[in-house]
Amino acid sequence: MKLVILLALFGVSLAQHNPHTKQGRTAIVHLFEWRWADIAAECERFLAPNGFGGVQISPPNEHIIINNPWKPWWQRYQPIGYNLCSRSGNEDELRDMITRCNNVGVNIYVDAVINHMCGSGGGVGSHSSCGSWFNANNKDFPTVPFSQSDFNDHKCRTGSGNIENYGDANQVRDCRLVSLLDLALEKDYVRGKVADFMNKLIDMGVAGFRVDAVKHMWPGDLSAIYGSLHNLNTKWFSGGSKPFIVQEVIDLGGEAISSREYFNLGRVTEFKYGAKLGTIFRKWDGEKLSYTKSWGEGWGFMPNGNALVFVDNHDNQRGHGAGGAAIVTFWDPKLHKMAVSYMLAHPYGVTRVMSSFRWNRNIVNGKDQNDWMGPPSHGDGSTKPVPINADQTCGDGWVCEHRWRQIKNMVIFRNVVNGQPHSNWWDNQSNQVAFGRGNRGFIVFNNDDWSLEVTLNTGMPGGTYCDVISGQKEGSRCTGKQINVGGDGRAHFKISNRDEDPYVAIHADSKL
Ligand code: AAO
């Protein structure tokens, strides 16, 4: 009996940790600032056929419009209300996207900004994405409605009203994050408005949420809000499915608030992962790839079942948030492909791939002067569509890392090896390593400044396999390198450090 109760409790608490991806799919892609119409098309033409499990979308609710600087990407992190019109499109387009993605088995996860409304200097008027009037000076947001008493200022004990010291948990939760008007989530009324917003999206068919700025909210308040969320829409999900919850908590250690406080509520972003992996692939601080034999919990990361992992995100790819210069992004394509592939090959965590837009990066004394720049847009500030080139890459400034052959093929690799153990580790005590996933896949990296030539036990059945990095299997031939695995599971690998991509990956479905 006790066991049954324990299992039931465990099941309930674990429910919000499950991304509910379909058909053995495993990876999520963040289509940062994409329009709903483009995401719908991408689900059908690319994400479903290539086995992507889901999409994290940019905040869909009404947000402030800022003209100085000119329509920065971060205006969407300043809510004006919960109407569903944003820079990415209106409510009909949002609903159409959710329906079409669900119909091809690709989940939608919403970036939910519920800690705050716009900045205190947001002004008065109707300069918001749905045109609703508001008055930031009086904390008046009639479209919700929220007013003075729905904000936390009376609880905050700092002179400025902003967070001044991350060593003080009360400040971090009760004061304003960079002057953003901080909602009083202890109030049933405020919790109710937030839950209504999230429930509307759940009923439309989303599979869950990336919750913004979670460090700045009390776990008890979040527990109350999550507890009032509906189950997922049974048109696409099995009965009793709870929404997937990923909580954005930046915890690199040394602050008053630890990510641990949120583990029982849902998954948590593991920011140490990208910061460390970037340092390793850059070979900074004496780090070596061979040290990653115990990658995951062995590196002091959070328990596997709690972690959402990523190489870079929309903040730290441009110097916001945390991680610093070590973070590898599309600006370093060779290292980025290797780091993302390492993540996708490794069993730790639920994985999220970043898909970015290009901006006029201009780093002066370590700070990007253009870190605010929004997505590719027309003269009037409206976001441009994502055009697809003949070679499957994207045009008009959309980077589409998720479409790069190496990354797309590693998303497939992760699905093929899903559930298999980390196995057959090899390293040269420097920056050449290899590991397998049971008898379903094997990957070899050369991040040293010299060639790799070695015969390794892959654990794979004998046969000829196509490398999915230099090419892939097409029909009955390989478009890139071929790897011959003997009947004993051993294979010879030769990887020059001067290769465009100095690594090789094979899996059960890339066998000829
Ligand atoms: C904009 C303007 C502001 C203006 C404000 C209001 O830039 O000047 O005051 O409007 O008018 C985004 C942008 C912000 C933007 C905001 C609203 O990034 O620039 O402000 O939209 O438009 C903290 C939070 C974390 C947050 C991160 C950016 O804890 O939740 O800052 N991320 C999310 C979103 C993000 C968004 C918001 C939240 C707000 O992903 O896109 O902001 O909705 C330490 C703390 C972290 C803290 C960082 C940065 O990190 O630990 O909790 O993140 O500082 O303040 C080492 C340390 C590491 C430390 C880091 C940086 O790495 O180990 O712990 O250094 O010091």
Side-chain angles (χ1 to χ4, degrees):
M1 186 60 193
K2 266 186 190 152
L3 185 70
V4 174
I5 294 173
L6 258 179
L7 279 177
L9 282 174
F10 194 59
V12 167
S13 74
L14 270 186
Q16 309 205 133
H17 299 71
N18 180 347
H20 302 297
T21 44
K22 318 247 175 39
Q23 304 159 19
R25 299 178 183 181
T26 53
I28 294 170
V29 56
H30 182 194
L31 296 180
F32 178 47
E33 284 281 9
W34 281 44
R35 297 157 64 248
W36 308 147
D38 292 315
I39 297 177
E42 189 71 352
C43 283
E44 295 169 343
R45 71 191 166 202
F46 189 84
L47 300 177
N50 288 297
F52 283 78
V55 182
Q56 178 182 314
I57 63 169
S58 285
N61 57 297
E62 180 166 11
H63 57 84
I64 197 170
I65 290 175
I66 291 177
N67 292 323
N68 184 22
W70 177 248
K71 302 188 169 46
W73 62 269
W74 43 254
Q75 63 184 11
R76 298 183 71 171
Y77 290 89
Q78 301 198 28
I80 295 303
Y82 301 128
N83 302 312
L84 297 174
C85 28
S86 67
R87 192 177 198 171
S88 289
N90 62 30
E91 181 169 340
D92 288 341
E93 291 163 322
L94 177 69
R95 189 181 296 277
D96 179 61
M97 171 194 75
I98 295 168
T99 302
R100 286 165 61 192
C101 290
N102 277 331
N103 285 347
V104 293
V106 179
N107 291 347
I108 298 294
Y109 307 100
V110 168
D111 195 346
V113 186
I114 60 175
N115 171 65
H116 52 261
M117 301 299 279
C118 68
S120 57
V124 185
S126 299
H127 48 293
S128 68
S129 54
C130 310
S132 301
W133 183 90
F134 64 98
N135 182 341
N137 304 339
N138 293 342
K139 298 178 226 169
D140 194 13
F141 298 90
T143 179
V144 184
F146 284 143
S147 54
Q148 293 270 356
S149 63
D150 298 319
F151 292 85
N152 260 337
D153 297 288
H154 63 285
K155 286 176 77 185
C156 172
R157 298 272 169 273
T158 65
S160 64
N162 294 330
I163 298 163
E164 295 172 1
N165 173 10
Y166 274 89
D168 175 347
N170 291 305
Q171 277 189 29
V172 176
R173 267 91 176 239
D174 295 337
C175 299
R176 298 171 178 176
L177 166 64
V178 294
S179 96
L180 298 160
L181 298 172
D182 203 55
L183 284 168
L185 292 169
E186 67 187 11
K187 291 183 66 178
D188 281 339
Y189 174 77
V190 178
R191 290 175 180 177
K193 288 295 175 188
V194 168
D196 287 351
F197 159 58
M198 295 172 84
N199 278 329
K200 179 167 182 182
L201 292 159
I202 291 171
D203 294 348
M204 286 168 80
V206 308
F209 302 91
R210 174 261 186 198
V211 185
D212 182 69
V214 161
K215 185 193 278 183
H216 307 281
M217 297 183 275
W218 292 96
D221 294 344
L222 288 170
S223 176
I225 292 168
Y226 300 164
S228 56
L229 295 182
H230 297 170
N231 287 334
L232 299 185
N233 189 324
T234 52
K235 185 166 179 206
W236 295 292
F237 303 93
S238 44
S241 301
K242 299 251 178 252
F244 180 53
I245 303 274
V246 171
Q247 306 170 98
E248 189 231 8
V249 180
I250 298 177
D251 177 6
L252 298 179
E255 282 183 18
I257 295 165
S258 145
S259 49
R260 221 174 305 122
E261 296 172 47
Y262 300 92
F263 286 173
N264 67 323
L265 299 173
R267 282 195 185 246
V268 181
T269 49
E270 179 48 281
F271 274 84
K272 291 174 188 158
Y273 192 101
K276 287 290 181 196
L277 201 57
T279 309
I280 292 161
F281 274 97
R282 292 184 188 282
K283 299 185 259 188
W284 287 358
D285 301 347
E287 291 291 3
K288 292 180 177 156
L289 203 45
S290 60
Y291 299 161
T292 65
K293 185 174 183 182
S294 59
W295 189 240
E297 290 170 17
W299 272 62
F301 301 161
M302 63 183 70
N304 182 20
N306 293 109
L308 183 282
V309 298
F310 45 96
V311 169
D312 62 329
N313 80 350
H314 72 281
D315 284 327
N316 63 20
Q317 68 171 198
R318 45 176 54 71
H320 289 230
I327 299 297
V328 284
T329 70
F330 69 88
W331 295 107
D332 294 300
K334 181 171 168 177
L335 290 184
H336 189 66
K337 284 178 274 184
M338 283 208 269
V340 172
S341 297
Y342 192 99
M343 171 182 82
L344 290 168
H346 196 279
Y348 179 80
V350 166
T351 50
R352 183 179 65 197
V353 171
M354 181 69 201
S355 189
S356 317
F357 58 79
R358 233 167 255 285
W359 70 98
N360 300 333
R361 196 166 68 144
N362 177 23
I363 298 177
V364 180
N365 296 328
K367 158 119 174 75
D368 184 351
Q369 304 302 304
N370 288 332
D371 64 341
W372 57 270
M373 282 189 166
S377 30
H378 299 291
D380 64 356
S382 60
T383 304
K384 283 188 181 172
V386 180
I388 307 299
N389 302 323
D391 66 357
Q392 296 300 305
T393 60
C394 301
D396 261 354
W398 298 96
V399 182
C400 290
E401 296 93 309
H402 69 288
R403 278 179 167 261
W404 295 359
R405 182 190 63 243
Q406 300 84 343
I407 292 177
K408 174 215 45 163
N409 282 343
M410 287 305 298
V411 166
I412 295 171
F413 178 108
R414 188 173 190 77
N415 294 343
V416 172
V417 304
N418 191 20
Q420 297 289 318
H422 188 260
S423 53
N424 294 303
W425 174 268
W426 169 84
D427 67 68
N428 71 341
Q429 303 191 332
S430 183
N431 292 291
Q432 301 180 352
V433 305
F435 62 92
R437 297 290 304 277
N439 60 4
R440 301 278 293 166
F442 196 74
I443 190 162
V444 187
F445 290 91
N446 178 10
N447 198 34
D448 272 324
D449 300 328
W450 60 88
S451 280
L452 170 154
E453 184 159 8
V454 65
T455 299
L456 297 172
N457 179 18
T458 65
M460 309 270 292
T464 303
Y465 293 80
C466 301
D467 169 30
V468 298
I469 304 304
S470 58
Q472 56 197 16
K473 184 174 118 179
E474 262 162 37
S476 56
R477 60 180 270 272
C478 300
T479 58
K481 295 180 188 166
Q482 283 189 14
I483 304 294
N484 296 308
V485 177
D488 59 356
R490 290 167 71 80
H492 187 71
F493 294 92
K494 197 173 169 179
I495 306 174
S496 165
N497 55 310
R498 293 205 201 87
D499 282 357
E500 185 186 342
D501 299 304
Y503 64 113
V504 165
I506 57 175
H507 59 70
D509 290 355
S510 80
K511 190 172 180 213
L512 287 185

